[in-house]
Amino acid sequence: WVVWSEEVEVCPVSTSMQMITVWVRYKASGDTFLCSFVYASNLASERRELWKEMETIGRSVENNPWIIQGDFNVALSTLEHSRSSDSRMDLNAIKDFQDVVENCDMVDLAQVGPSFTWTNCQEENPISKKLDRVMVNSCWISSFPQSYVSFESGGVSDHLRMHTQLRDVPQGNMKPFKFFTHLTNHPRFLEVVARVWKESEPIFHSRSALRKLQEKLKALKFELRGLNRDMYGDLPGRVKQAYEELCA
């Protein structure tokens, strides 16, 4: 199933056991595109029905942006398997997938995050693959050249979650954060770091460890900005004031 916010208008196109396709229109910007959500079968024979459906949509999409995303349950290359030698038994399925991607004129959207999106969660015999992906056609790239997808861990799923961004988020007047080594000499540096680390969710070995670390660093960034302003802020003004006092 598919859910959406009030920011968009959604018009269903087709629904099958493995794919839902809809038209999406953003009310504020007017951006409109075709969007397909995939949850492919584990069986290669059943996935061939999905490949046929993708090719049917590919022939009808014409000059419209099309994005297709989800769990395809097959890699696109033997390199998308943590044990590439084990993937040789899937060569026929991989070739079928490659053919439909080429026939539909699709390419992977620019990606941020881990290369592998699925793990078997077995510490004794770990296996990882790239089963989830976001692909777009050439018209999408022309319409949304800054778009990209982020893969991140979280939740209880053995798959990473995906978040697609159409455009870069405006940063306003906020300057990018820079960590200056002289901050470590601030008398309250260790105190602030320890407090932020204790107040935020603890990190332990899990699929959400990287997300928790990111949240801790994000909270710490705000505090370190304050320390920097406290001791080192407005240096030109302080130098000018010191010079005037010295020359008085």
Side-chain angles (χ1 to χ4, degrees):
W1 40 268
V2 176
V3 297
W4 58 88
S5 71
E6 295 182 353
E7 296 178 356
V8 298
E9 295 175 343
V10 173
C11 179
V13 175
S14 63
T15 302
S16 68
M17 292 296 294
Q18 301 181 75
M19 184 166 69
I20 298 175
T21 299
V22 299
W23 281 106
V24 177
R25 178 182 178 275
Y26 275 84
K27 298 177 182 178
S29 64
D31 292 329
T32 304
F33 52 86
L34 192 65
C35 184
S36 297
F37 302 93
V38 169
Y39 183 44
S41 171
N42 287 316
L43 302 177
S45 58
E46 294 183 356
R47 284 199 298 270
R48 293 190 186 101
E49 296 301 316
L50 172 61
W51 305 154
K52 292 178 183 178
E53 187 178 354
M54 286 175 56
E55 290 179 342
T56 298
I57 294 177
R59 288 191 294 268
S60 63
V61 70
E62 297 180 346
N63 295 322
N64 291 294
W66 180 27
I67 182 171
I68 181 169
Q69 54 198 321
D71 175 8
F72 291 85
N73 257 315
V74 63
L76 193 57
S77 164
T78 57
L79 298 178
E80 296 181 345
H81 193 302
S82 59
R83 300 179 184 175
S84 57
S85 59
D86 292 351
S87 66
R88 292 177 181 176
M89 64 183 68
D90 298 327
L91 286 179
N92 290 334
I94 291 175
K95 181 61 167 57
D96 288 344
F97 192 22
Q98 291 174 342
D99 288 343
V100 71
V101 169
E102 181 178 358
N103 293 340
C104 292
D105 186 32
M106 304 296 280
V107 296
D108 281 325
L109 186 62
Q111 172 183 329
V112 175
S115 299
F116 299 133
T117 65
W118 171 86
T119 176
N120 64 350
C121 302
Q122 297 178 16
E123 295 184 2
E124 301 79 10
N125 183 37
I127 297 176
S128 298
K129 301 180 184 180
K130 182 173 179 60
L131 301 180
D132 311 84
R133 61 197 329 122
V134 178
M135 298 184 293
V136 296
N137 63 357
S138 55
C139 187
W140 174 282
I141 296 175
S142 299
S143 302
F144 308 106
Q146 295 181 325
S147 60
Y148 64 93
V149 57
S150 299
F151 287 92
E152 56 187 26
S153 60
V156 297
S157 176
D158 51 1
H159 291 259
L160 298 184
R161 57 190 178 196
M162 302 179 294
H163 177 258
T164 302
Q165 190 77 37
L166 295 187
R167 296 182 177 85
D168 286 336
V169 179
Q171 298 298 318
N173 296 324
M174 180 66 72
K175 297 180 180 179
F177 176 75
K178 295 181 180 179
F179 179 78
F180 299 102
T181 54
H182 62 244
L183 273 177
T184 58
N185 298 322
H186 194 290
R188 294 184 55 236
F189 176 75
L190 293 179
E191 169 197 337
V192 168
V193 172
R195 175 172 55 80
V196 170
W197 229 249
K198 291 179 181 179
E199 289 178 351
S200 52
E201 193 175 358
I203 298 177
F204 53 90
H205 182 67
S206 70
R207 292 190 297 274
S208 61
L210 287 178
R211 175 183 60 81
K212 293 177 180 178
L213 176 61
Q214 181 186 31
E215 292 173 352
K216 285 179 178 290
L217 294 176
K218 186 176 181 180
L220 186 60
K221 179 173 67 173
F222 176 80
E223 297 289 344
L224 293 183
R225 285 184 187 274
L227 288 186
N228 191 60
R229 286 193 301 268
D230 176 40
M231 182 165 285
Y232 309 106
D234 191 25
L235 288 181
R238 293 187 181 189
V239 170
K240 181 180 179 181
Q241 181 180 357
Y243 178 79
E244 292 175 349
E245 291 177 354
L246 182 65
C247 296

